[in-house]
Amino acid sequence: MMEKQLLSGNEAIARGAWEAGVKVAAGYPGTPSTEILENLVRFKQDVYCEWAPNEKVALEMAAGAALTGVRALVTMKHVGLNVAADPLMTLSYIGIVGGLVIVAADDPGMHSSQTEQDTRQYARLAKVPVFEPGNAREASAFIKRAFEISEKYRTPVIFRTTTSVSHSRALVEVGARTGAGTANFEKNPPQFVPIPVWGRKLRVRVEERVAEQAAEASRAADLNFVLRGTEKGRLGIISSGLTALHCTDIFPEADILKLGWSWPFPDELIRRFAAEHESVAVIEEADPILEEHVKSLGIDCRGKDVVPRVGELVPLKLREVRAKLFGESFAPPQPPPEDLPGRPPILCAGCPHRGIFYALGKFDVIVTGDIGCYSLGVFPPLSRTDVILCMGGGFSMSQGMVKAGEKRPVVGIVGDSTFFHSGITGLLDIVYNKGNSTLIVVDNRTTAMTGHQDHPGTGRTLMGEPTAAASIEKIAEACGMKRIRVVDPYRLDEVAAVLKEELAADEPSLIISRAPCLLKERKPVGPVQEIDHEACRNCRSCLKLGCPAIESSGKSKPAINAQLCAGCDMCRQVCRFTAIHEKSCC
């Protein structure tokens, strides 16, 4: 009897990859994919794992491993595939030898992302297969099949998960590890060097490969199969992933063609399924990729006329889809009472980033921000981020604003992990092209937003080994940056003074705000503070820090919650009446 374990989707992917004989794994942390490598590294006696500086490097590294004949895994969130798109497109032409699977975790509903982009669009563009598990059990089984298909057709395979699949749990059968391959690269320039004379032939083979895969996908009964409903032949639903499983609950009467190998489209299977039913509906999250193809086959179907394009297709939304499809009434749930207090996202108590944003509030500047916990600097009362685009864009956008002739000073902000990911090139552009931005790296010594992963500046690898710690200062200096300052963000006067000086400079400058993330350190910055209500004038200056440890109801005098206070001391520094001091031990 097979052993079963309760695993999340990400844990199941890691376990399945190990069982499949993966030898090399690389990625960049990004919710909801992060836990895959964090779990796979537990098998570090068998698998080499690394956090790469960015997703492009991760894919290129894994591609190199796969070309030697071993199996390799790459992990990232959906927007990370944007960064890795360049090598993906060419890799589809030259192919691989050992299996190569790219896990791209989509985020319908934007639980922790800036977009809802649909990874299936990349698969169609690159002409590589897509596998879509619906739960952890399928994640484990499908990842093994993905490696088999990858090797059979010598192509990378995209393994598309979603937030709900990544973080939900199911009982998963676990087994032993199969034999890992041995690295032995065999030179073959006409296959692996896509200069035009050889690349044109590779292009033809891509189309042949796609046709072969579509035919096999129609026969792959373990990946693409029908879930029978109570009224066979009436309504047929074509879906994939977790959405298909939700449909079994909301449409119990319908037969559901569940696609686990969703591209290339299994045309033969789709035609057979449609011919068996009086009516057909395509229910898919995000873009109507499947629906458009079904219609292109000459099959009449319902789709985005009743299925929303935006958001996650949770059961409640599918109930609304059902009502529209059958002309039934639908009563949406009652909204929550309006008098319930809101809980906006906010920087943690004692977060070192707070000092930078508070100090920036003293100056009339434009702030181009970036992706990370410091994006929370946009919210009141700090309100010191004006635009966010993508990782590394905090630096690059500042250059564009300056060169466009913006009269106000422009400040570009990135985090330390983002600096190594894609901030260096933006900094280099500013120096090389004689910009005049004030750049800030908020260096909290970790990749904080995704759960405190290491990066090239921390001096430690994913394998737990000590390594060289890249210096932000020295990299900036090597790029030609002359003005480089390091500040302690907890010293507000110092931060404000440095900002004033650097904003007035007639050349670009770099300020490094350096203090570790408290959640990683798991210790307070200093003694807990308290407010002396006799001395307090209720000027409410301390509330402008936006610290969750400082509480006030209505117009009452603020108070410090000792359970939340991290002892950062910033509130004491902004108090004009010396009403804040260390809390008495008794």
Side-chain angles (χ1 to χ4, degrees):
M1 183 176 179
M2 293 288 291
E3 178 190 352
K4 292 185 177 181
Q5 294 181 8
L6 183 64
L7 302 177
S8 70
N10 283 344
E11 290 170 335
I13 291 170
R15 175 75 193 207
W18 173 78
E19 292 179 11
V22 163
K23 197 166 184 180
V24 173
Y28 184 81
T31 305
S33 71
T34 307
E35 299 86 0
I36 299 171
L37 287 193
E38 290 181 333
N39 281 278
L40 189 56
V41 77
R42 297 175 183 176
F43 301 103
K44 62 182 180 182
Q45 71 277 10
D46 300 316
V47 187
Y48 169 77
C49 301
E50 74 170 36
W51 290 128
N54 63 32
E55 296 86 355
K56 180 178 184 290
V57 172
L59 179 53
E60 292 163 347
M61 180 270 187
L67 287 174
T68 71
V70 305
R71 289 183 169 181
L73 181 75
V74 190
T75 69
M76 62 194 70
K77 68 183 298 176
H78 60 310
V79 290
L81 198 54
N82 300 334
V83 181
D86 190 5
L88 172 64
M89 299 303 157
T90 305
L91 195 57
S92 174
Y93 279 38
I94 70 174
I96 45 82
V97 180
L100 175 62
V101 176
I102 304 163
V103 179
D106 283 9
D107 192 17
M110 298 171 63
H111 299 281
S112 60
S113 309
Q114 65 268 40
T115 72
E116 274 192 323
Q117 76 180 47
D118 192 330
T119 289
R120 294 177 299 169
Q121 298 280 22
Y122 267 118
R124 188 163 60 174
L125 177 62
K127 300 181 184 296
V128 299
V130 172
F131 282 43
E132 293 188 67
N135 55 28
R137 181 187 61 78
E138 290 185 347
S140 175
F142 288 9
I143 196 80
K144 299 170 193 174
R145 291 284 278 123
F147 279 108
E148 293 172 5
I149 294 299
S150 175
E151 289 179 345
K152 180 175 181 178
Y153 294 99
R154 298 175 71 97
T155 177
V157 172
I158 291 178
F159 200 78
R160 178 182 183 259
T161 67
T162 62
T163 300
S164 293
V165 173
S166 294
H167 293 159
S168 61
R169 294 181 176 273
L171 284 173
V172 177
E173 289 187 349
V174 297
R177 177 173 169 85
T178 57
T182 301
N184 181 27
F185 178 71
E186 297 182 6
K187 296 183 179 182
N188 186 1
Q191 179 67 46
F192 299 140
V193 184
I195 58 177
V197 65
W198 293 325
R200 295 186 189 103
K201 296 179 181 179
L202 298 176
R203 174 72 180 91
V204 173
R205 175 56 192 149
V206 169
E207 293 301 326
E208 295 172 346
R209 184 186 75 204
V210 169
E212 293 168 6
Q213 291 168 6
E216 181 168 348
S218 290
R219 302 188 301 269
D222 60 329
L223 297 170
N224 297 330
F225 48 85
V226 177
L227 300 168
R228 293 297 178 185
T230 59
E231 299 180 17
K232 183 179 179 180
R234 181 188 170 200
L235 172 63
I237 293 175
I238 305 175
S239 189
S240 62
L242 180 59
T243 300
L245 299 181
H246 284 327
C247 285
T248 62
D249 294 328
I250 307 303
F251 299 89
E253 70 274 57
D255 291 338
I256 298 169
L257 174 57
K258 182 182 181 300
L259 301 181
W261 181 355
S262 57
W263 200 91
F265 302 109
D267 291 355
E268 181 184 344
L269 178 60
I270 291 173
R271 287 192 177 101
R272 288 200 310 264
F273 180 78
E276 297 172 355
H277 295 87
E278 298 174 10
S279 61
V280 174
V282 177
I283 299 180
E284 58 188 322
E285 287 177 327
D287 300 331
I289 297 174
L290 181 55
E291 177 192 345
E292 289 174 355
H293 183 74
V294 170
K295 288 179 176 177
S296 77
L297 298 176
I299 298 170
D300 184 35
C301 67
R302 304 290 298 274
K304 291 301 180 184
D305 59 323
V306 293
V307 179
R309 287 173 175 260
V310 177
E312 186 177 14
L313 290 181
V314 295
L316 179 62
K317 282 193 177 181
L318 288 176
R319 290 193 192 101
E320 187 174 1
V321 170
R322 179 188 175 91
K324 292 178 180 178
L325 196 60
F326 293 140
E328 301 171 347
S329 60
F330 175 75
Q334 293 295 319
E338 294 183 358
D339 59 348
L340 287 178
R343 294 188 64 188
I346 194 169
L347 294 171
C348 299
C351 176
H353 302 334
R354 179 171 283 106
I356 286 291
F357 288 113
Y358 180 81
L360 282 170
K362 298 180 179 294
F363 303 93
D364 181 19
V365 297
I366 296 173
V367 178
T368 55
D370 219 289
I371 307 300
C373 9
Y374 47 94
S375 62
L376 297 174
V378 70
F379 293 113
L382 296 171
S383 303
R384 288 315 289 132
T385 300
D386 298 302
V387 59
I388 291 177
L389 182 63
C390 62
M391 292 190 71
F395 279 5
S396 305
M397 283 190 296
S398 72
Q399 169 77 340
M401 289 188 175
V402 168
K403 292 301 182 181
E406 173 58 47
K407 294 180 174 55
R408 285 164 292 180
V410 184
V411 177
I413 296 182
V414 304
D416 46 333
S417 184
T418 303
F419 177 81
F420 296 112
H421 177 282
S422 48
I424 297 172
T425 47
L427 182 147
L428 183 60
D429 176 52
I430 291 166
V431 175
Y432 172 65
N433 287 300
K434 298 184 177 181
N436 192 27
S437 305
T438 300
L439 306 180
I440 300 176
V441 177
V442 283
D443 179 8
N444 61 4
R445 317 304 295 155
T446 187
T447 313
M449 186 172 70
T450 52
H452 304 111
Q453 291 76 35
D454 285 298
H455 59 64
T458 65
R460 195 169 185 83
T461 71
L462 177 58
M463 301 286 280
E465 301 169 345
T467 185
S471 167
I472 297 172
E473 298 96 310
K474 290 182 179 179
I475 290 174
E477 185 178 355
C479 289
M481 183 69 75
K482 296 178 181 178
R483 301 181 68 91
I484 301 172
R485 308 285 294 272
V486 179
V487 299
D488 177 351
Y490 292 119
R491 305 279 67 86
L492 298 180
D493 288 345
E494 173 194 349
V495 174
V498 170
L499 274 172
K500 182 178 181 180
E501 186 175 339
E502 298 309 317
L503 288 170
D506 59 358
E507 60 181 325
S509 62
L510 174 67
I511 299 172
I512 301 169
S513 167
R514 180 165 290 149
C517 173
L518 291 180
L519 293 185
K520 183 181 181 183
E521 294 294 299
R522 296 184 180 276
K523 61 181 181 181
V525 181
V528 171
Q529 303 291 304
E530 67 177 354
I531 298 176
D532 180 353
H533 279 192
E534 293 295 325
C536 177
R537 304 290 183 86
N538 204 16
C539 71
R540 308 176 80 77
S541 294
C542 56
L543 294 176
K544 294 178 182 178
L545 287 166
C547 177
I550 306 175
E551 303 171 346
S552 176
S553 177
K555 296 183 179 181
S556 64
K557 291 183 177 182
I560 295 176
N561 186 326
Q563 298 300 315
L564 297 178
C565 179
C568 70
D569 193 45
M570 283 189 272
C571 57
R572 184 191 61 78
Q573 297 175 56
V574 303
C575 180
R576 292 173 290 170
F577 303 103
T578 63
I580 301 178
H581 52 77
E582 292 182 16
K583 183 176 176 61
S584 170
C585 62
C586 54

